[in-house]
Amino acid sequence: MPTDAFTSSPDSGFNPTASPGRARLVWWRHWWRKQSPARQDRFITLGPLLAVLLFLAAVIAAFGYLRLEEIDREQQAVKRDVEYAQQRLRLRLLERQEQLMRIGRDISNKEVDAADFVSQAESLVSQYPELLAVTWVDSRRRVKVAYVSASANTAQLRRAGDQLKPGETDGTYGLARDLRQPVYSGPLNPTDSTNYNAPTLQLLIPLDDQGKFSGVIMGEYSIDGLLRFGVPTEVAAKYAVTLVDDKNRVLAGNLPPRRNTAERLLPWSDSAAEYEIPVSPVGNGMLLRAQGYRASLGVVGSGFFWLVSALSALTVWMLLGTWRHTQRRVQAQQALITETNFRRAMENSMLTGMRALDLQGRITYVNPAFCQMTGLTEADLVGRTPPFPHWPDGELDVLMSRLNDELQGKTPPGGFEVRVKRKNGKIFDARMYVSPLIDPRGQQTGWMTSMTDITEPKRIREELTASYERFTTVLEGLDAAVSVAPLGSEELLFANKLYRSWFGAEVSGHLNLIAQAGVPATAPTEDAQDEVDGLAGLPTDSLTTALTENAEIFVPELSKWLEVRSRYLTWVDGRLAQMVIASDITPRRHAEEQAAQQNHRAQTASRLITMGEMASSVAHELNQPLTAINNYCNGMVSRIKAQQISNDDLLVALEKTAKQANRAGQIIQRIRSFVKRSEPNRSSAEVATIASNAMELAEIELRRHNVRLTHYIAARMPPVLVDPILIEQVLINLMKNAAESIANARLPAARRSVELRVVPKKIEDQEVVEFSVLDSGPGLTPEVMGRLYEAFYSTKAEGMGIGLKLCRSIVESHQGRMDSQNLYNGEDVVGCRFTFWIPVKPLLSSVLPATDNVATP
């Protein structure tokens, strides 16, 4: 609590020297006055409800305390009675134990024979009903003599000479023999099925014969008899007394009747008092438990409880009624305060200035926004007559004329703009709206004027106008034609200067560009007017943010190549429109065509250079069949002249000659098709055929360098969409370079080998065919590896340095990749491998030649 709450003041009336009761009253009154009205209303509303809750809590606490006291008394009584019953049961067991020990001492002293034992046992059994049997057992666990009560079951019947079974004494026989002390067994269940639920208790008294163990005297008690004859009757009458084992199983006695389910579910229901204690001297193996009978009705069953409950309910009903009445009053008061505050807050938070004039032109009311705009206070304005202090000095006549029109009701409905002067002399633009002020009786009492500061909107409007002019100037100066037209209409919404110079102000140019570019934008036909809107459900947000792919088209009317781009946008009136941007790419197309022609010439020149470098090898390869043809012809001529040849021999010689001529023709035809200049032609080709043709030509050069060529081509290879001649050119170039590298290294014949491997693979999530050329040469140095694909760079004295660059260009034009790496054996370079792969299903845009992706003129 703040310190100043206790300080005295003339207003508070607080006097520290007054009596404590009066001082507290004065302090509470002072504290109440300091609270806000809303908090006072909250206290008034919640006070009766809090009183109800405190009253109910006090009643419940009182009854709970009484019930707890009652339960504690019952528990103490149960504990006291159970301990008393346990002492009585203990004394009874100790008395029987002492009597059996006395018989045992007489047996040890040879004072009792079998007949005397039976007599004494009969006396004990008949005198104490809980004792069922007394048995004399020797050291070999044999029964010497036994006496059994008539009420015992068959399991206790033993004859002289019977052998005790191992589990019959629950291990207490051996324990009594070892300890030489009386030992009680745990509760035992007899094996007789007729009395299976009549457990027994055994007491074993060891016998001593001059310091040696000579047997035991075994007394067997009925646990039910111990309960009936050992527990006092006054205890058994008050409680449900039971004997239970260490596993909580009932050995004797009965539990009290259980209450029904409905009674147990009552919130005030509780369990009866209960207590248990081990039975001495048996130990923890048997417990004496007592549970009190529910004799009393408890707190809930008493008439006093119901009387107090009825009075409490009446009191609660009265308090709740008072609380509801108080709450309704507070709600009405709060609604009135809220309405008043709302109107005041609405008036004060308005950004529009409000001014009221009477019929003579005198200011009768201004709101805070009007005062904030002009910088004048309410006292400076209310009651003033024209000229008003917020009128600029140079416009008094104009404003006076407008005020006269305002008083006569001649102001335009859309309002009018005026210039207003602030208190500091600054001028701002404002728009005023005038409406008649009508009182509740329907009579006009003046005029209400609303004023809005339009300085910032006017500035923004001027900036937007200038920005629109700049934007239009930029669009007009673009070197691309820009047009916008709504979908499904032939109206042209916008066209810049270049579009108008190409197509005029007609929408036909816009539609033709869309049609040639392949963008669907058809106008609705007359039959489609009654059909469902084709654009219904179209996601306009996604359309206006997505840009279509570029398309290159040729426009015959302009004799130009145009790159057309289109996108959807929302026009200023909300309609979905399509914007088309067309750029002149005619110079770029001409440059691309020239570059393609130069590239084709370079590829053809590379093939010619390759065949030129292989000319000596080809000549040697052709020389073999030609020499054989010459020899066959000379031989046939000689034998014909000598008339030493038959028709069959002549036919064989001619067939061999024809075969050698065919071989020479195939070599020439293969060279001719390889170096023949043709247009790029991609088609579906078999990989095995491409590799076989390339090896046929390359093997000629490899044999000249004494290099062995091996190959591995995987079975069932898929066809690829390529230009076969270009792929053969890459393979021939790679195998020829490998052979030259091996020859320059002057390797022995055993190490001169080149291998071609063609296998399918999956690279970058696409199916590809991989071509690999492996050689056993010296490999590539780091310097060569870094400049391998550089134009006009070659390690050969007569090389031009364009072979590998063209190879990589050919592979990349087929959407493939080319790579090279050295082969190692440990740290030694043992060769080099050139690898390139081509996709089985290339993208359509790369499969088509350069002229296939555009519309031809």
Side-chain angles (χ1 to χ4, degrees), residues 805-818:
K805 179 175 177 59
L806 282 176
C807 289
R808 188 171 72 169
S809 299
I810 292 172
V811 171
E812 291 179 351
S813 69
H814 288 78
Q815 289 189 351
R817 295 291 182 271
M818 191 171 187

Side-chain angles (χ1 to χ4, degrees), residues 523-809:
T525 62
E526 294 181 357
D527 297 337
Q529 296 297 327
D530 297 332
E531 297 178 356
V532 177
D533 184 10
L535 302 177
L538 197 64
T540 57
D541 293 342
S542 301
L543 284 174
T544 55
T545 58
L547 189 65
T548 61
E549 294 185 358
N550 299 351
E552 297 178 1
I553 64 174
F554 182 79
V555 182
E557 297 82 356
L558 304 176
S559 299
K560 295 179 182 294
W561 283 94
L562 301 180
E563 181 184 39
V564 179
R565 292 172 293 169
S566 67
R567 68 173 300 168
Y568 299 96
L569 51 85
T570 303
W571 195 242
V572 293
D573 57 1
R575 288 184 292 175
L576 186 62
Q578 189 174 22
M579 179 178 64
V580 176
I581 303 174
S583 304
D584 186 3
I585 58 170
T586 304
R588 191 191 75 187
R589 290 288 302 204
H590 292 165
E592 291 176 352
E593 292 175 359
Q594 293 178 0
Q597 293 175 2
Q598 293 294 338
N599 188 32
H600 182 63
R601 294 193 192 99
Q603 294 172 2
T604 304
S606 175
R607 292 198 296 273
L608 292 174
I609 292 171
T610 300
M611 295 310 302
E613 293 174 350
M614 295 171 58
S616 60
S617 299
V618 172
H620 176 73
E621 190 71 15
L622 289 175
N623 188 50
Q624 292 181 1
L626 294 178
T627 301
I629 292 172
N630 185 37
N631 291 336
Y632 285 132
C633 292
N634 291 333
M636 286 187 293
V637 170
S638 299
R639 294 183 65 181
I640 289 174
K641 288 180 179 181
Q643 296 182 355
Q644 297 177 352
I645 187 170
S646 63
N647 291 335
D648 294 337
D649 293 339
L650 181 61
L651 181 60
V652 171
L654 288 175
E655 288 178 350
K656 292 182 178 180
T657 303
K659 183 177 180 180
Q660 294 297 327
N662 187 32
R663 178 186 173 190
Q666 288 179 351
I667 295 173
I668 295 173
Q669 180 62 28
R670 187 67 212 131
I671 295 173
R672 181 176 178 275
S673 62
F674 179 72
V675 300
K676 179 182 177 182
R677 179 174 179 176
S678 62
E679 296 297 327
N681 181 23
R682 296 190 184 183
S683 60
S684 179
E686 294 293 335
V687 176
T689 303
I690 296 174
S692 177
N693 293 338
M695 288 190 295
E696 184 178 347
L697 288 178
E699 195 172 8
I700 298 174
E701 182 71 9
L702 267 65
R703 282 199 299 269
R704 185 173 71 88
H705 292 293
N706 195 19
V707 175
R708 181 176 67 260
L709 176 62
T710 60
H711 68 277
Y712 171 76
I713 301 175
R716 295 186 294 274
M717 294 287 292
V720 292
L721 193 62
V722 297
D723 188 333
I725 297 298
L726 296 181
I727 303 303
E728 291 175 15
Q729 179 179 350
V730 174
L731 291 174
I732 293 172
N733 202 330
L734 294 179
M735 289 187 284
K736 175 175 169 294
N737 288 347
E740 292 175 351
S741 175
I742 295 173
N744 293 335
R746 302 182 183 277
L747 297 175
R751 294 185 53 190
R752 290 173 173 252
S753 65
V754 173
E755 181 183 6
L756 172 63
R757 295 180 61 86
V758 184
V759 294
K761 279 193 174 182
K762 188 171 184 179
I763 300 176
E764 298 179 359
D765 295 332
Q766 60 178 336
E767 302 293 336
V768 303
V769 176
E770 184 183 73
F771 298 84
S772 300
V773 177
L774 299 85
D775 64 61
S776 58
L780 301 173
T781 63
E783 179 186 359
V784 174
M785 188 75 74
R787 305 180 63 185
L788 196 59
Y789 302 104
E790 184 178 329
F792 306 110
Y793 173 77
S794 177
T795 58
K796 295 182 288 188
E798 299 178 357
M800 297 181 62
I802 63 173
L804 285 178
K805 179 175 177 59
L806 282 176
C807 289
R808 188 171 72 169
S809 299

Side-chain angles (χ1 to χ4, degrees), residues 35-36 105 233 282 391 444 456 486 497 535 744 772 789 797:
Q35 305 303 314
S36 63
R105 284 194 298 270
T233 56
V282 177
W391 285 1
Q444 182 178 354
E456 186 65 17
K497 180 179 180 181
L535 302 177
N744 293 335
S772 300
Y789 302 104

Side-chain angles (χ1 to χ4, degrees), residues 82-96:
V82 170
E83 290 178 350
Y84 169 66
Q86 189 264 357
Q87 290 296 329
R88 291 287 300 273
L89 193 58
R90 176 175 177 274
L91 291 176
R92 195 172 183 90
L93 288 173
L94 291 178
E95 287 176 359
R96 302 295 84 75

Side-chain angles (χ1 to χ4, degrees), residues 30 72 109 215 226 317 412 445 464 606-607 610 714 779 821-822 829:
H30 176 68
D72 185 64
N109 296 331
L226 286 174
W317 178 76
T445 60
L464 286 177
S606 175
R607 292 198 296 273
T610 300
Q821 59 182 352
N822 289 329
V829 179

